[in-house]
Amino acid sequence: MIHTFKTAAISAVLALGLAGTAMAQDLKFFTIGTGGTAFTYYPVGGVIANAISKPPGSRECGEGGSCGVDGLIASAVSSRGSVDNVNAIISGLRNSGFAQSDVAYWAYTGTGTMEGKEPATDLRTIAALFEEHIHLVALADSGINSVADLKGKRVSLDEPGSGTYVDATLILEANGLSVDDVTAEQLKGNAAAEGLRNGKIDAFFAVAGYPTGAIVELASAADIKLVPISGAGADALTEKYGFFASSDIPAGTYEGVDAVTTVAVGAQWFTSAKEDEELIYNITKALWNDESRKLLDVGHAKGATITPDTALNGVGVPLHPGAEKFYKEAGLLE
């Protein structure tokens, strides 16, 4: 009897071990490089990671379960931003990541701000996501009313490796300034907002979909303004670089802050040409199913603007074959 019990116990342990091994073999992990936790990329990345994931044992789609990719566990990873994400994709450090359309195109072609660097020819697009506005934030009583007024001021351009840093530099240049004309700081997200509030800096740039968390919190604690990026400097920028477009941030987006005209770029989702075609096809399909629509609509203020109708807007880097297959099947691409 004791022998029988031991045999049964051993058999059960072996069965559990084999089941666990099988489950581990079925699991696939997929990372999404995002940005700083206080800006838009990170929370949106979390929503998308949730939408495309379907761990073993999940309830079926339509029965209260996940409608993601069978066996997939996706995770949003905080990063330094667009440039960092592109480099991480190409190096194989991350499976995918978000980046500004301008940064990605320049990296793919080895032009613009990436001139002289080896082109990131393995970069591929999954989808265009949403519009990102360039915020130039100052205190309401700062006397900073234009980009030109930044001369001699302490300005955070965000960290090198971020798309914000790239764009802030271009905006300064389009307005006849350079990084040497300001006291440049490299603060990110909440650190930049806190630095402005405490008088350590006079202004900061942030490229993010509005409303962005760090600025929402700052506006509730201090009187701030959004400085316009418009006029001849903005015109020169949009004319030279087709990725930039003039666009407004509406009044009331941030507490007590008036509407402002600025420039915007597209936020897009990229991966490597080396990623499996069937996997990217299933991920793209999961992103655009009806259940994901519900998650996007409630998960973040920018979620409602992430739609299949705009999934190919402004795409300058080739689609991954898996994504291309989906868009053709969906009738979104000929």
Side-chain angles (χ1 to χ4, degrees):
M1 188 172 179
I2 293 172
H3 173 76
T4 303
F5 176 78
K6 285 182 177 178
T7 302
I10 292 168
S11 297
V13 169
L14 287 172
L16 285 171
L18 288 170
T21 301
M23 185 174 288
Q25 288 173 342
D26 289 340
L27 276 178
K28 296 181 287 289
F29 296 93
F30 193 84
T31 51
I32 305 171
T34 59
T37 56
F39 288 155
T40 310
Y41 278 9
Y42 184 75
V44 169
V47 174
I48 290 177
N50 188 29
I52 67 173
S53 295
K54 188 178 181 181
S58 299
R59 284 187 292 175
E60 288 305 310
C61 177
E63 298 177 6
S66 170
C67 295
V69 181
D70 286 335
L72 186 72
I73 298 177
S75 58
V77 181
S78 177
S79 77
R80 295 168 69 183
S82 293
V83 177
D84 184 36
N85 290 337
V86 168
N87 290 337
I89 291 167
I90 296 306
S91 70
L93 180 63
R94 297 187 195 112
N95 302 105
S96 72
F98 299 161
Q100 293 164 204
S101 55
D102 55 337
V103 170
Y105 178 78
W106 288 329
Y108 175 73
T109 58
T111 60
T113 59
M114 306 296 178
E115 190 167 358
K117 296 184 179 180
E118 184 176 351
T121 54
D122 275 345
L123 197 64
R124 294 292 183 271
T125 304
I126 296 175
L129 298 176
F130 56 86
E131 195 174 45
E132 293 189 275
H133 285 71
I134 300 176
H135 298 62
L136 176 52
V137 189
L139 294 177
D141 61 358
S142 64
I144 298 173
N145 298 309
S146 69
V147 176
D149 292 335
L150 295 177
K151 187 171 183 177
K153 299 293 195 297
R154 298 162 297 171
V155 184
S156 176
L157 309 180
D158 207 318
E159 297 175 328
S162 70
T164 298
Y165 187 90
V166 172
D167 288 351
T169 303
L170 294 176
I171 289 165
L172 290 175
E173 290 175 354
N175 286 272
L177 301 176
S178 73
V179 174
D180 294 334
D181 290 314
V182 301
T183 300
E185 301 291 343
Q186 299 174 0
L187 304 176
K188 195 167 197 70
N190 289 327
E194 193 64 24
L196 182 69
R197 184 182 174 190
N198 293 335
K200 294 181 180 179
I201 57 174
D202 300 303
F204 68 89
F205 284 92
V207 181
Y210 67 75
T212 187
I215 302 174
V216 169
E217 292 181 15
L218 176 62
S220 69
D223 292 330
I224 64 168
K225 67 167 70 171
L226 292 177
V227 179
I229 302 174
S230 57
D235 291 344
L237 187 73
T238 56
E239 184 176 342
K240 184 174 181 181
Y241 303 110
F243 306 101
F244 293 101
S246 179
S247 188
D248 293 345
I249 298 175
T253 300
Y254 303 104
E255 185 179 335
V257 179
D258 294 335
V260 68
T261 298
T262 182
V263 291
V265 294
Q268 300 179 352
W269 187 13
F270 299 94
T271 188
S272 169
K274 296 175 183 176
E275 290 291 336
D276 180 70
E277 180 175 338
E278 189 67 14
L279 175 62
I280 300 301
Y281 167 79
N282 286 326
I283 284 173
T284 310
K285 186 175 181 179
L287 173 66
W288 298 125
N289 70 38
D290 291 341
E291 293 302 314
S292 295
R293 173 80 274 138
K294 296 174 186 177
L295 291 174
L296 289 167
D297 287 345
V298 302
H300 190 273
K302 271 296 175 189
T305 69
I306 301 173
T307 69
D309 292 340
T310 58
L312 301 176
N313 284 7
V315 170
V317 172
L319 289 167
H320 188 282
E324 184 177 11
K325 178 183 175 183
F326 170 80
Y327 292 123
K328 285 181 177 178
E329 285 184 2
L332 297 170
L333 186 67
E334 291 184 1

